[in-house]
Every structure is written in C-alpha cells, then in structure tokens.
Amino acid sequence: ELKVEQNPLFLSMQEGKNYTIYCNYSTTSDRLYWYRQDPGKSLESLFVLLSNGAVKQEGRLMASLDTKARLSTLHITAAVHDLSATYFCAAPSNYGGSQGNLIFGKGTKLSVKP
Amino acid sequence: GAGVSQSPSNKVTEKGKDVELRCDPISGHTALYWYRQSLGQGLEFLIYFQGNSAPDKSGLPSDRFSAERTGGSVSTLTIQRTQQEDSAVYLCASSWGPQETQYFGPGTRLLVL
C-alpha cells in the first residue's frame, strides 16, 4: 500500500529565505503531483512531474522528482508572504488495479513572515 | 472555462439524517473522484468513476456511504444515517482520464451535530 510522507509538516520562514519541502513515497510511482491549498479554499494544481529527473519551475517554486529515491522536493526561493499556504504532494495509487485515485501527504503548512 | 462545481457549499445536519452532496465535473472529463478532508485524517480517497466502468469504491469508509454518476457527468455522494465523525470537507475532482492532473472543486463543508 502506497504511503506518502512529507516533511516538515509546519514551516515558518522569513521573507527572502530559501527552503525545501520533501516528499517521500513508499512504492514505485512514475509521477508525482504538488498542490497548494489556501485556508478555507480548495486544492490548486501546481506541478505534475512525469518522469525521473523531471524538474518544473513556476515563479519562486521549483519541483523535482527522483523516482529511484522515491523522493520529490519543492524548493522555495526568496520566499514572499503570498506563498503562505499548505502544500500537498500526492502520488497515484495502484491498489487493486485502480490507476486513478491519489494518495496525499499530510501537507506542509508554510507561513512566510516579514 | 468552468471548473468543478459542488453544492451545497455548506451543510449542517443532525445525527442520523441522510445527506446528498453534488458534484459537476469539468465538461469532457471522464474521470471523477470524491475525497474528504478532515483535521485528523488529512485527505482521504473515497470513490472513483472512470467513464462507463464500474466505480472503484475501495475508499468508502462504511456502507452508509454511496455515490453515483449519471450520464457520465454529474455525481452525487450520499451519506445515510450521518454520524458526527462524518463531519469533514468533501472534495470532488475530475480529470481527462486516470493518471491525468485532477482539478478540485471548492468542496462541501459538512457538519453533523
């Protein structure tokens, strides 16, 4: 059964600093998703990483995937307050032949302070 | 274009009552998913529909939960004899197919008193 673990679960950063969120998953997966959730809101798709070594960047966020290490990272560069949110990683579950549903990590609550 | 929509946005009910939650997926998306999000359990998969195939019900927590998808589009999640532990945000998502990016609706916040 696939398990997805994120760390840290809580992250308080100062504006302008860099940090990395880690996402480990327990069984083979060929893709990994990152979502953002603002308080009281739904999940917004950030990145889908489709292969080993994949790297995607959007503004101050960069995500990468290492399928051999079963590890994805979300790197934050020069954080700004607008990045404050909860970030989830997720991988497709292959349990019972289902190829569709996602297994989510517990989320990393990021707070960027001036 | 229009995203995934859900109704109602909030629902307060009494323990033991039945509730129905509705999801309208993005037009043309063949895959539809229900998840629930609660403080204690995080994001949990409930049920998955893909085209005309039999749904994957492996995430439903009990037989009080059921869902249907009519005409390959709108879906309804029904919770019978609600319990306080059913209180959560119920999220619907859709995608072009399995393994494609899932787009989430705004959710239905359910409170069982």
Side-chain angles (χ1 to χ4, degrees):
Chain A
E1 179 183 334
L2 173 66
K3 294 189 188 308
V4 179
E5 292 186 355
Q6 285 181 240
N7 69 85
L9 298 183
F10 299 92
L11 178 54
S12 181
M13 297 177 62
Q14 279 192 308
E15 281 191 328
K17 298 292 187 182
N18 304 333
Y19 210 85
T20 300
I21 299 171
Y22 297 89
C23 175
N24 291 90
Y25 53 96
S26 61
T27 63
T28 302
S29 178
D30 62 351
R31 59 189 61 198
L32 195 289
Y33 301 85
W34 285 95
Y35 287 86
R36 168 182 172 145
Q37 186 176 39
D38 291 290
K41 304 290 187 182
S42 191
L43 280 77
E44 173 192 353
S45 175
L46 291 176
F47 302 109
V48 53
L49 302 165
L50 298 176
S51 61
N52 187 41
V55 176
K56 289 199 173 177
Q57 183 162 5
E58 179 75 33
R60 300 173 187 275
L61 300 178
M62 184 173 71
S64 66
L65 178 62
D66 181 343
T67 58
K68 293 180 181 177
R70 298 177 185 166
L71 171 68
S72 181
T73 60
L74 181 66
H75 187 72
I76 303 154
T77 301
V80 293
H81 180 70
D82 285 353
L83 290 179
S84 297
T86 299
Y87 294 84
F88 292 92
C89 63
S93 167
N94 293 321
Y95 174 74
S98 166
Q99 300 291 311
N101 66 287
L102 295 175
I103 303 297
F104 285 84
K106 292 188 182 298
T108 296
K109 186 172 182 179
L110 172 65
S111 175
V112 181
K113 303 184 186 303
Chain B
V4 178
S5 61
Q6 293 185 244
S7 61
S9 53
N10 290 282
K11 177 74 177 177
V12 181
T13 191
E14 293 179 349
K15 177 180 171 181
K17 301 282 190 184
D18 298 353
V19 296
E20 284 190 354
L21 313 179
R22 177 187 167 105
C23 172
D24 274 281
I26 292 172
S27 178
H29 279 191
T30 61
L32 186 148
Y33 315 78
W34 284 97
Y35 296 86
R36 73 177 175 182
Q37 186 174 28
S38 59
L39 279 175
Q41 301 298 322
L43 271 153
E44 302 174 277
F45 163 70
L46 297 176
I47 188 168
Y48 158 53
F49 296 89
Q50 170 56 46
N52 295 320
S53 302
D56 174 2
K57 305 178 182 180
S58 60
L60 294 178
S62 78
D63 59 8
R64 295 186 296 106
F65 288 72
S66 63
E68 63 178 20
R69 188 179 184 192
T70 53
S73 181
V74 171
S75 177
T76 303
L77 177 69
T78 301
I79 310 173
Q80 296 179 309
R81 305 181 302 281
T82 51
Q83 304 293 312
Q84 288 180 330
E85 61 262 30
D86 299 335
S87 296
V89 177
Y90 289 81
L91 293 165
C92 176
S94 69
S95 65
W96 288 110
Q99 307 280 1
E100 301 294 329
T101 298
Q102 296 179 24
Y103 296 90
F104 284 79
T108 294
R109 190 173 300 271
L110 175 66
L111 178 61
V112 182
L113 300 176

